[in-house]
């Protein structure tokens, strides 16, 4: 069985920005894993490969500006294509936010989750066409408020 | 103020996030969060009903707090309320909260399921999508119970929108993974397979993931997916980069779908239909060709996607393990990557070559890269890459390069990362044992291991060296001398003290003649380490001392003094005290004879699997290492004597040299005029008439697999949805041993599991097989092993039948496969000069001694592969013997208990006609006949 077990986004300072789990684990265990993995990856230097053996899984990671994107996959899974899953996700974020940066993901974390859900379900890639995925997200935004409505909302 | 928020941004949320970011300390952050939690709690409890927007905003804040790492113990109900909102954004936040925070035993699960049910029935594709995402995200058993029946219907309904189909396929996959028993198979499965033909590539991609996982568990039911996948793949790889529009990724057509299709095909053996098979081979060739083309873009995304497909294609080629030229091409391609400037590609090439090393067709090709791999071990800066290099060296190791590889691994061990030291120690220990020709080398290697990485040498490793030294008397003196010398070092590792103590206690007498290692010196040397050691080691040394009392009566009083001292007799540790008291007493009251009997040299250890191997397997988790081992090319010559039963060693010693035998060719037929063997047909009839009701007919396809084992000894013999049968065998002279592994692929126990090896009456007189019964219960997911000891009494034609009967979930299962024990397994290769060869060839010119077959090539005619097959068949491959260099000649001796039969063979390929002529000459017609039959099937 092949699939992504989880995806983590964290900053160079080790702050977790997004976590998506495709296997069921207790919260405590998740926190432990996050700490361990952030530490492993931040301690690796720049010129190394993008792959690290971790327990019986493999971590595939890449840094985009200030953010690390890390996927845990199974040993026999396709590492290179996992890197491109990450890249496609970054492209989708970019397309949606326009020059996405870490702050976009902090302030619109729920959007980052929605976009990921359009792209991956249960650890498997659902839609690889950028156009279809972005369209799905934009369609749902059409169902939402306008900027005027936004500004009229209470600030607490 | 926050960065610009899009769409439905919640202003209050943005302000809150901004506040948190401005907190200067952890305490300030916690304070701000507590304030917010109090605020939200009061809003939720307040009398005034909250509007949807506020509810959404507060739920989202809670989610944010949770994701910061704080516990959240309320708000679930409000989130569930959001699910039934008609506003998309509210519903969406509700589902997000549930996906992240809900635990399955929650009281709310019924309410949640109700909301999901409504959304699934809404026929609104966006709502349906949200509901499906939520099921997939939570993936609990309760969800499976509620929806596993419904989702297949949505998936195959004609009017379902494409995007919903995609979600439904992957949602179902998630449920199948967590609760396969709850997903009912049915009519829908055949319709799912046809989604491979769907117009929409997104649907095909999602469906392929689902089908792959289903097919792993139910290969029969999804067999039709093979040809559909091949034709889909073929259309993709031959398309121009613009054909697939949006599904082309950086000029690579549909890389995700390609990889998934290649994955799906790895659930099956090579396609049976020659047309499908040909088309697939074309696809794989095209992918390999594309790797040689100049890149269409300089972007790393382009090369990553392209190579992702390439590596997956190589995995499939290795999985099929049947197209020698593809395997060799794959190996060459990976060889190029080994030197690539991209670290990622070097890493992947090392990893992929590891599996390639296991194929008999490419093992030799992989070995040619040994220098590059050793270099990687020395120069790569990334520990991940170095680890892959260690793995590959381990996989490519065989008798020819073991000394070099072990030396390099030992070198590397001195500087290796701590995280991988133990694994390297285990690997070195295994290779040193497995390929030891000379056991002094083995002993040196293990002592080096202890010297370099003593802390990482586990019990299994030093137990094993002792087992081997005890079982092999030719190495005992050397071992005693070497440990004695190693113990001279002022600081030696405690593991060395253990090994030294044990070995000197058994074999110290072998070096006691040398005044430099007299009994007293040996004793003093060991005792000088005593006080620095831990309790278990001291206990071991006490046993050594009492053994010395027997070996060296002259130092008995010295030892008794030591045992009698207060530090021993009154030791606080009970075990040490007891040993001291008992040993002292034993040495005082027992007569020399009794002492000699009690303290006799340890008997040889019973033969068993190397405990180190078991440790490595455990360390690596199930599968990985077993595979490495099973696939390791193990010709009979790789067998090492240490673990062999005595009879094998004995026969090896007493056998006359091969060349002596060939001289006696002429006499053999006189001595051995066996009746003509029965035809294969009548044998099968015999088997059935014996017990027609009990034995199942041969499983379909078992003949194919049988033929694959003629030139190799390890692999998978049979596989269906319930059971996998793997083989690993070794042969030497007229004896052999076969390990049969029965793997239960289901999650349910097999009961009354009874494998039986059946020989016809004819076969029984020429082949002696001994098996032990296996445990009648095989747990779900478990593997049991059965050993068959084989003795070839005289030459034989047919193969034994392996019949397996068991109960699986109330149904009786009964199947039979042919067990690949063939006459050629008892071959020993014989080297000879051209002159000798043709002289013997002429001696065997009686028409009854020659059998010839002319046949069409079934595989590509590649000289290297042909050579590998002839060697795999068991005979020697004689180079520069035949005047025509395109021809292959071989020679060897078939060993049976009653006689030895010299065999000569000659294979003449005709490339133009794509034909072969195979000629066998042996002193016995039946043998020529049988060998010719067996070998003809291989080309």
């Amino acid at each position: 069985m092949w699939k992504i077990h989880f995806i983590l986004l964290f900053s160079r300072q080790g702050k977790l920005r997004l976590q998506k789990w495709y296997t069921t684990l207790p919260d405590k265990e998740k926190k432990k894993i996050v700490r361990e993995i952030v530490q492993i990856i931040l301690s690796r230097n720049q010129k190394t490969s993008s792959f690290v053996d971790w327990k019986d899984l493999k971590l595939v990671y890449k840094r985009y500006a200030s953010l690390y994107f890390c996927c845990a996959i199974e040993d026999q899974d396709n590492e290179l294509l996992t890197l491109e899953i990450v890249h496609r996700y970054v492209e989708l974020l970019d397309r949606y936010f326009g020059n996405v940066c870490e702050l976009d993901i902090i302030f619109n974390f729920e959007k980052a989750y929605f976009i990921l859900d359009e792209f991956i379900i249960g650890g498997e890639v659902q839609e690889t066409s950028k156009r279809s995925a972005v369209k799905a997200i934009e369609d749902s935004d059409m169902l939402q408020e306008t900027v005027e409505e936004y500004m009229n909302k209470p600030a607490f | 103020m926050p960065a610009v928020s899009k769409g439905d941004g919640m202003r209050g949320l943005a302000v809150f996030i901004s506040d948190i970011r401005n907190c200067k300390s952890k305490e300030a952050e916690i304070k701000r969060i507590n304030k917010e939690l109090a605020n939200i709690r009061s809003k939720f409890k307040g009398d005034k009903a909250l509007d949807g927007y506020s509810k959404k905003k507060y739920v989202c804040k809670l989610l944010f707090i949770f994701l910061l790492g704080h516990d959240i113990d309320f708000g679930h109900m409000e989130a569930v309320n959001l699910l039934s909102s008609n506003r998309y954004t509210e519903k969406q936040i509700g589902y997000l909260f549930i996906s992240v925070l809900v635990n399955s035993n929650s009281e709310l699960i019924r309410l949640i399921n109700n909301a999901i049910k409504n959304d699934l029935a809404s026929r609104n594709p966006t709502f349906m999508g949200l509901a499906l995402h939520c099921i997939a995200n939570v993936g609990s058993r309760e969800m499976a119970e509620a929806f596993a029946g419904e989702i297949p219907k949505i998936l195959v309904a004609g009017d379902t929108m494409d995007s919903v189909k995609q979600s439904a396929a992957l949602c179902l996959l998630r449920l199948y993974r967590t609760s396969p028993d709850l997903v009912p198979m049915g009519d829908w499965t055949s319709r799912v397979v046809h989604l491979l033909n769907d117009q929409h590539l997104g649907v095909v991609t999602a469906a392929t993931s689902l089908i792959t996982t289903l097919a792993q568990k139910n290969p029969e039911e999804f067999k039709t997916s093979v040809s559909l996948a091949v034709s889909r793949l073929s259309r993709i790889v031959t398309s121009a980069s613009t054909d697939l529009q949006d599904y082309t990724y950086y000029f690579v057509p549909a890389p995700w779908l390609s990889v998934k299709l290649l994955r799906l095909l790895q659930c099956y053996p090579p396609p049976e239909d020659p047309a499908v098979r040909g088309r697939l081979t074309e696809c794989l060739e095209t992918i390999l060709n594309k790797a040689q083309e100049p890149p269409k873009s300089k972007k790393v995304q382009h090369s990553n996607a392209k190579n992702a497909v390439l590596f997956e294609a190589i995995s499939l080629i290795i999985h099929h393990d049947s197209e020698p030229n593809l395997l060799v091409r794959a190996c060459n391609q990976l060889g190029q990557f080994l030197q690539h400037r991209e670290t990622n590609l070097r890493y992947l090439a090392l990893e992929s070559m590891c599996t390639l090393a296991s194929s008999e067709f490419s093992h030799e090709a992989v070995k040619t890269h040994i220098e590059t791999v050793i270099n990687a071990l020395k120069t790569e800066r990334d520990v991940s890459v170095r680890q892959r290099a260690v793995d590959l060296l381990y996989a490519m190791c065989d008798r020819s390069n073991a000394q070099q590889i072990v030396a390099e691994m030992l070198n590397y061990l001195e500087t290796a990362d701590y995280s991988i030291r133990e694994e390297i120690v285990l690997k070195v220990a295994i290779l040193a044992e497995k390929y030891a020709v000379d056991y002094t080398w083995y002993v040196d290697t293990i002592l080096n291991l202890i010297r370099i990485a003593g802390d990482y040498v586990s019990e299994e490793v030093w137990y094993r060296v002792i087992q081997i030294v005890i079982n092999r008397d030719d190495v005992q003196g050397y071992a005693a001398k070497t440990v004695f010398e190693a113990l001279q070092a002022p600081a030696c590792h405690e593991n060395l003290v253990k090994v030294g103590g044990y070995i000197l206690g058994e074999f110290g007498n072998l070096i006691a003649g040398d005044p430099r290692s007299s009994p007293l010196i040996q004793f003093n040397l060991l005792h000088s380490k005593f006080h620095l050691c831990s309790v278990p080691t001291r206990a071991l040394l006490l046993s050594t001392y009492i053994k010395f009392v027997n070996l060296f009566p002259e130092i008995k009083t010295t030892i008794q003094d030591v045992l009698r001292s207060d530090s021993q007799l009154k030791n606080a540790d009970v075990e040490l005290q007891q040993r001291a008291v008992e040993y002292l007493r034993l040495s005082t009251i027992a007569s020399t004879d009794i002492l000699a009997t009690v303290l006799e040299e340890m008997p040889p250890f019973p033969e068993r699997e190397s405990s180190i191997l078991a440790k490595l397997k455990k360390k690596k988790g199930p599968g990985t290492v077993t595979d490495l081992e099973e696939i390791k090319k193990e010709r009979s010559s790789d067998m090492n004597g240490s673990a062999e039963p005595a009879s094998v060693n004995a026969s090896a010693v007493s056998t006359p040299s091969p060349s002596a035998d060939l001289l006696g060719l002429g006499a053999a037929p006189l001595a051995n005029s066996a009746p003509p063997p029965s035809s294969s047909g009548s044998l099968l009839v015999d088997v059935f008439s014996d017990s027609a009701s009990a034995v199942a007919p041969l499983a379909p396809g078992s003949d194919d697999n049988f033929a694959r084992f003629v030139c190799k000894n390890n692999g998978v013999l049979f596989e269906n949805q319930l059971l996998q049968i793997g083989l690993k065998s070794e042969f030497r002279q007229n004896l052999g041993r076969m390990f049969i592994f029965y793997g239960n692929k289901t999650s349910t126990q097999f009961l009354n599991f009874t494998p039986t090896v059946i020989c016809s009456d004819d076969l029984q007189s020429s082949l002696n097989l001994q098996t032990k019964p296996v445990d009648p219960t095989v747990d779900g997911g478990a593997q049991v092993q059965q050993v068959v000891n084989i003795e070839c009494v005289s030459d034989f034609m047919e193969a034994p039948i392996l019949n397996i009967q068991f109960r699986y979930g109330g149904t009786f299962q009964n199947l039979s496969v042919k067990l690949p024990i063939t006459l050629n397994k008892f071959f020993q290769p014989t080297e000879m000069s051209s002159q000798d060869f043709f002289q013997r060839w002429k001696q065997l010119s009686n028409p009854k001694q020659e059998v010839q077959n002319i046949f069409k090539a079934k595989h590509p005619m590649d000289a290297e592969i042909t050579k590998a097959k002839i060697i795999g068949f068991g005979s020697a491959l004689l180079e520069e013997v035949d005047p025509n260099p395109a021809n292959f000649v071989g020679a060897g001796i078939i060993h049976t208990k009653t006689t030895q039969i010299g065999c000569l063979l000659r294979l003449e390929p005709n490339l133009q006609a794509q034909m072969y002529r195979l000629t066998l000459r042996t002193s016995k017609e039946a043998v020529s006949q049988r060998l010719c039959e067996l070998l003809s099937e291989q080309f």
Side-chain angles (χ1 to χ4, degrees):
Chain A
M1 301 214 197
W2 301 283
K3 64 163 189 170
I4 300 174
H5 283 236
F6 52 84
I7 299 176
L8 304 176
L9 267 65
F10 50 90
S11 70
R12 288 170 71 182
Q13 289 75 36
K15 286 246 183 216
L16 187 62
R17 296 302 182 203
L18 183 142
Q19 46 175 322
K20 185 77 193 183
W21 303 84
Y22 298 109
T23 36
T24 317
L25 291 169
D27 286 339
K28 228 172 138 185
E29 180 70 20
K30 288 182 189 170
K31 283 184 186 165
K32 206 176 126 224
I33 291 175
V34 169
R35 267 201 308 276
E36 194 180 326
I37 286 177
V38 168
Q39 199 240 329
I40 291 176
I41 290 184
L42 290 181
S43 67
R44 281 171 64 84
N45 53 24
Q46 286 265 299
K47 292 263 171 158
T48 52
S49 67
S50 311
F51 318 125
V52 186
D53 287 337
W54 179 77
K55 308 226 164 129
D56 52 348
L57 299 180
K58 189 170 276 175
L59 306 176
V60 175
Y61 71 96
K62 187 165 180 176
R63 203 183 99 188
Y64 285 85
S66 61
L67 269 188
Y68 281 92
F69 290 69
C70 173
C71 300
I73 58 173
E74 275 167 44
D75 197 36
Q76 301 124 328
D77 215 333
N78 197 310
E79 295 92 345
L80 287 177
L81 210 56
T82 309
L83 277 177
E84 295 320 300
I85 287 178
V86 167
H87 186 77
R88 183 35 61 100
Y89 179 48
V90 173
E91 285 184 344
L92 292 173
L93 291 171
D94 209 54
R95 179 84 163 257
Y96 180 78
F97 288 109
N99 273 328
V100 66
C101 67
E102 194 182 339
L103 280 181
D104 292 319
I105 295 172
I106 295 171
F107 280 98
N108 301 282
F109 70 95
E110 79 284 8
K111 291 288 179 210
Y113 279 97
F114 297 149
I115 293 171
L116 190 56
D117 271 352
E118 284 300 329
F119 182 38
I120 296 172
I121 300 186
E124 295 275 354
V125 171
Q126 168 177 226
E127 179 51 83
T128 65
S129 151
K130 186 153 66 172
R131 202 162 48 191
S132 306
V134 169
K135 192 169 169 295
I137 297 155
E138 282 170 354
D139 280 356
S140 57
D141 270 357
M142 296 291 283
L143 303 166
Q144 300 171 358
E145 301 87 345
T146 62
V147 178
E148 286 82 347
E149 277 176 305
Y150 173 75
M151 291 314 290
N152 289 332
K153 278 168 192 161
F156 49 85
Chain B
M1 263 308 285
V4 175
S5 192
K6 282 196 71 166
D8 71 325
M10 290 162 273
R11 213 164 153 220
L13 174 67
V15 172
F16 173 59
I17 295 175
S18 180
D19 281 358
I20 295 284
R21 283 178 55 75
N22 290 332
C23 287
K24 294 278 185 287
S25 66
K26 195 81 200 163
E27 291 70 39
E29 182 185 307
I30 291 172
K31 211 171 145 210
R32 177 68 185 88
I33 285 169
N34 284 337
K35 185 179 151 208
E36 192 63 40
L37 286 175
N39 170 41
I40 298 172
R41 206 176 261 125
S42 73
K43 296 282 186 212
F44 283 169
K45 281 202 181 135
D47 308 330
K48 212 171 73 186
L50 288 175
D51 62 11
Y53 171 78
S54 306
K55 224 185 266 174
K56 172 181 88 168
K57 180 180 68 185
Y58 293 129
V59 165
C60 206
K61 280 182 178 176
L62 287 176
L63 186 57
F64 180 78
I65 294 170
F66 176 79
L67 291 169
L68 277 180
H70 303 268
D71 290 336
I72 294 295
D73 53 6
F74 69 101
H76 299 74
M77 197 45 158
E78 285 73 15
V80 174
N81 284 341
L82 286 177
L83 297 184
S84 36
S85 162
N86 275 327
R87 299 197 69 147
Y88 179 76
T89 57
E90 289 165 17
K91 202 187 261 300
Q92 197 180 26
I93 295 289
Y95 272 122
L96 181 60
F97 185 93
I98 300 294
S99 304
V100 177
L101 261 130
V102 95
N103 42 11
S104 55
N105 57 10
S106 161
E107 284 270 299
L108 299 171
I109 209 77
R110 224 163 22 88
L111 293 174
I112 296 169
N113 282 354
N114 227 354
I116 291 178
K117 209 164 274 167
N118 289 337
D119 280 337
L120 284 183
S122 71
R123 311 190 70 77
N124 172 337
T126 6
F127 287 7
M128 289 173 86
L130 283 179
L132 289 167
H133 281 137
C134 180
I135 299 171
N137 276 323
V138 177
S140 64
R141 245 192 116 67
E142 290 83 354
M143 292 258 177
E145 273 163 8
F147 302 109
E150 181 65 21
I151 296 170
K153 291 182 204 147
I154 297 177
L155 177 58
V156 298
D159 57 349
T160 305
M161 297 252 306
D162 287 335
S163 66
V164 176
K165 269 190 204 164
Q166 287 169 268
S167 306
L170 295 178
C171 180
L172 187 58
L173 170 55
R174 170 74 202 257
L175 295 185
Y176 185 75
R177 277 181 174 148
T178 37
S179 322
D181 52 315
L182 294 180
V183 177
M185 294 293 134
D187 292 347
W188 62 273
T189 53
S190 60
R191 299 175 62 185
V192 163
V193 171
H194 283 278
L195 289 179
L196 288 172
N197 272 336
D198 202 278
Q199 296 264 316
H200 190 285
L201 281 192
V203 172
V204 186
T205 309
T208 309
S209 295
L210 174 65
I211 294 166
T212 303
T213 303
L214 293 172
Q216 279 171 332
K217 288 272 175 69
N218 322 278
E220 265 315 294
E221 206 156 334
F222 291 87
K223 223 163 78 182
T224 47
S225 65
V226 172
S227 59
L228 293 177
V230 169
S231 70
R232 192 91 219 190
L233 182 67
S234 162
R235 270 178 283 160
I236 296 171
V237 295
T238 54
S239 66
S241 57
T242 48
D243 289 358
L244 305 175
Q245 295 161 0
D246 237 21
Y247 290 88
T248 296
Y249 182 82
Y250 290 86
F251 303 101
V252 181
W256 277 280
L257 180 53
S258 306
V259 164
K260 286 183 180 200
L261 291 168
L262 289 163
R263 250 313 133 67
L264 169 58
L265 292 170
Q266 286 172 59
C267 302
Y268 290 93
E272 281 155 26
D273 179 344
V276 177
R277 193 174 172 145
R279 203 162 174 201
L280 177 57
T281 305
E282 263 171 43
C283 286
L284 295 170
E285 277 168 350
T286 310
I287 294 171
L288 285 167
N289 292 341
K290 280 186 180 172
Q292 297 298 331
E293 288 169 11
K296 292 197 175 73
S297 152
K298 287 211 168 87
K299 288 233 162 77
V300 67
Q301 282 76 30
H302 171 69
S303 69
N304 276 354
K306 188 168 140 181
N307 291 327
V309 176
L310 175 64
F311 276 108
E312 206 59 57
I314 291 177
S315 293
L316 179 62
I317 291 169
I318 297 171
H319 169 80
H320 282 172
D321 196 10
S322 65
E323 296 279 352
N325 66 326
L326 288 178
L327 282 158
V328 171
R329 282 192 66 187
C331 186
N332 293 340
Q333 181 62 53
L334 295 176
Q336 286 181 19
F337 284 155
L338 283 183
Q339 317 256 19
H340 205 278
R341 62 188 166 74
E342 278 267 336
T343 314
N344 284 349
L345 284 180
R346 295 199 302 277
Y347 173 100
L348 294 172
L350 288 166
E351 179 180 68
S352 189
M353 258 197 190
C354 236
T355 39
L356 207 52
S358 58
S359 165
E360 307 224 359
F361 300 121
S362 48
H363 181 80
E364 289 301 317
V366 170
K367 270 169 64 184
T368 60
H369 298 286
I370 185 166
E371 295 303 331
T372 318
V373 182
I374 287 173
N375 198 38
L377 196 60
K378 289 178 175 161
T379 57
E380 284 288 352
R381 301 205 321 221
D382 180 355
V383 54
S384 303
V385 184
R386 291 197 297 272
Q387 182 151 14
R388 289 292 88 85
V390 171
D391 289 349
L392 178 53
L393 284 178
Y394 180 73
M396 65 161 67
C397 192
D398 62 20
R399 186 145 291 205
S400 71
N401 55 21
Q403 300 237 354
Q404 186 189 9
I405 285 177
V406 164
E408 291 296 346
M409 283 190 172
L410 276 172
N411 259 340
Y412 175 57
L413 191 54
E414 307 229 19
T415 53
D417 313 77
Y418 296 111
S419 55
I420 59 175
R421 282 197 180 185
E422 186 183 0
E423 198 182 314
I424 298 177
V425 167
L426 293 174
K427 286 184 168 161
V428 169
I430 290 166
L431 294 179
E433 177 187 339
K434 190 162 180 183
Y435 299 113
V437 188
D438 170 3
Y439 277 84
T440 60
W441 174 71
Y442 170 74
V443 169
D444 287 342
T445 305
I446 301 295
L447 291 184
N448 262 331
L449 272 185
I450 296 176
R451 185 179 57 76
I452 298 169
D455 286 346
Y456 298 90
V457 173
S458 54
E459 283 183 345
E460 287 83 355
V461 174
W462 74 263
Y463 285 178
R464 188 67 182 167
V465 67
I466 284 170
Q467 282 174 15
I468 286 176
V469 170
I470 286 185
N471 288 8
R472 303 194 58 98
D473 46 19
D474 53 334
V475 76
Q476 289 159 356
Y478 180 82
K481 180 165 163 287
T482 319
V483 292
F484 177 78
E485 279 160 11
L487 283 168
Q488 307 283 342
C492 51
H493 196 275
E494 189 167 332
N495 277 334
L496 181 67
V497 180
K498 290 178 189 164
V499 174
Y502 201 108
I503 288 182
L504 291 180
E506 295 295 320
F507 309 115
N509 55 327
L510 299 177
I511 57 167
D514 187 327
R516 284 165 301 177
S517 51
S518 70
L520 191 59
I521 296 178
Q522 286 186 39
F523 173 73
N524 286 337
L525 179 63
L526 283 176
H527 199 53
S528 70
K529 318 279 181 194
F530 186 89
H531 299 282
L532 302 171
C533 291
S534 64
V535 168
T537 309
R538 285 198 229 172
L540 185 152
L541 285 178
L542 289 179
S543 300
T544 304
Y545 298 169
I546 189 67
K547 287 238 162 188
F548 275 178
V549 168
N550 174 45
L551 286 182
F552 312 126
E554 63 268 39
I555 58 166
K556 178 170 166 182
T557 49
T558 317
I559 290 171
Q560 283 176 328
D561 287 345
V562 168
L563 292 176
R564 201 177 286 124
S565 71
D566 278 359
S567 63
Q568 309 294 353
L569 279 187
K570 295 185 180 168
N571 196 295
D573 186 271
V574 177
E575 176 68 30
L576 291 181
Q577 195 187 81
Q578 184 173 1
R579 285 197 190 205
V581 171
E582 286 177 1
Y583 290 163
L584 181 62
R585 197 81 192 121
L586 181 65
S587 73
T588 328
I589 60 166
S591 71
T592 332
D593 280 355
I594 291 178
L595 265 188
T597 312
V598 173
L599 302 172
E600 202 180 10
E601 191 178 303
M602 293 293 284
F605 287 87
E607 160 216 349
R608 62 169 85 113
E609 187 194 23
S610 162
S611 47
I612 311 178
L613 204 54
K615 166 108 179 179
L616 186 62
K617 279 180 192 163
K618 212 165 102 194
K619 196 170 158 52
K620 278 293 214 175
T624 15
V625 181
T626 329
D627 293 348
L628 265 182
E629 278 309 298
E630 286 188 345
I631 50 194
K632 184 78 57 79
K633 201 175 126 173
E634 264 182 60
R635 297 261 308 111
S636 53
S637 61
D638 285 344
M639 234 180 25
N640 83 56
S642 71
E644 294 312 303
S647 61
V648 173
N649 285 335
S651 78
V653 175
S654 65
T655 309
S657 79
S659 57
D661 163 73
L662 268 192
L663 287 174
L665 279 176
L670 295 174
N672 209 339
S673 46
S678 62
S679 77
S680 56
S682 67
L683 171 75
L684 276 180
V685 171
D686 284 347
V687 171
F688 296 133
S689 61
D690 253 6
S691 48
S693 59
V695 179
L698 286 178
S702 77
D703 270 349
D704 287 2
N705 275 344
F706 178 81
R708 290 176 58 195
F709 280 90
V710 168
C711 290
K712 66 177 197 175
N713 287 329
N714 306 324
V716 174
L717 176 65
F718 172 82
E719 183 156 12
N720 65 10
Q721 53 270 61
L722 305 177
L723 178 71
Q724 186 193 57
I725 306 177
L727 291 185
K728 207 176 146 179
S729 41
E730 323 173 307
F731 295 90
R732 185 160 193 146
Q733 312 283 0
N734 69 319
L735 300 176
R737 202 156 31 137
M738 180 176 267
F739 295 88
I740 310 179
F741 301 90
Y742 304 97
N744 179 347
K745 291 169 63 181
T746 70
S747 49
T748 315
Q749 259 187 355
F750 292 165
L751 298 172
N752 303 342
F753 187 81
T754 356
T756 323
V757 179
I758 303 161
C759 290
S760 66
D761 290 346
D762 272 346
L763 196 54
Q764 260 170 19
S765 58
S766 35
L767 202 58
N768 248 332
L769 300 180
Q770 286 174 341
T771 52
K772 289 201 185 102
V774 299
D775 193 337
T777 321
V778 185
D779 286 336
Q783 194 183 56
V784 295
Q785 175 191 327
Q786 185 177 36
V787 185
V788 184
N789 285 315
I790 306 156
E791 183 189 33
C792 175
V793 180
S794 60
D795 62 276
F796 57 97
M797 296 293 277
E798 258 310 317
I801 306 283
L802 175 65
N803 174 254
I804 296 143
Q805 305 185 357
F806 58 96
R807 283 199 167 275
Y808 164 72
T811 57
F812 176 68
Q813 306 285 332
N814 184 4
L815 57 98
S816 293
V817 287
K818 277 209 262 178
L819 207 53
I821 300 174
T822 47
L823 187 55
N824 64 301
K825 299 293 179 192
F826 304 96
F827 241 130
Q828 290 286 297
T830 312
E831 295 290 341
M832 62 179 77
S833 69
S834 175
Q835 197 192 349
D836 287 349
F837 181 86
F838 283 104
Q839 195 186 346
R840 285 177 186 136
W841 186 261
K842 280 193 206 110
Q843 282 172 357
L844 294 169
S845 54
N846 183 324
K848 287 197 163 176
Q849 293 169 333
E850 179 186 287
V851 173
Q852 196 169 72
N853 187 14
I854 298 170
F855 54 93
K856 197 129 184 83
K858 287 191 279 291
H859 304 285
M861 297 175 76
D862 180 301
E864 287 311 309
I865 292 149
T866 306
K867 284 181 188 170
K869 282 181 172 167
I870 291 176
I871 293 171
F873 191 61
S875 67
L877 180 72
L878 304 177
E879 308 267 10
E880 293 172 24
V881 163
D882 199 296
N884 178 351
N887 292 347
F888 305 91
V889 295
I893 301 162
I894 298 279
H895 287 253
T896 71
K897 192 180 176 191
T898 48
T899 182
Q900 297 177 2
I901 304 144
C903 310
L904 303 175
L905 69 90
R906 188 179 195 190
L907 179 71
E908 297 156 277
N910 179 340
L911 285 170
Q912 258 178 335
Q914 291 284 303
M915 304 278 282
Y916 286 103
R917 181 164 70 181
L918 174 65
T919 315
L920 256 298
R921 287 192 179 185
T922 77
S923 46
K924 207 170 165 191
E925 187 184 6
V927 173
S928 304
Q929 187 68 48
R930 180 61 180 152
L931 292 178
C932 186
E933 270 170 33
L934 287 168
L935 193 57
S936 300
E937 291 299 310
Q938 300 299 315
F939 300 104

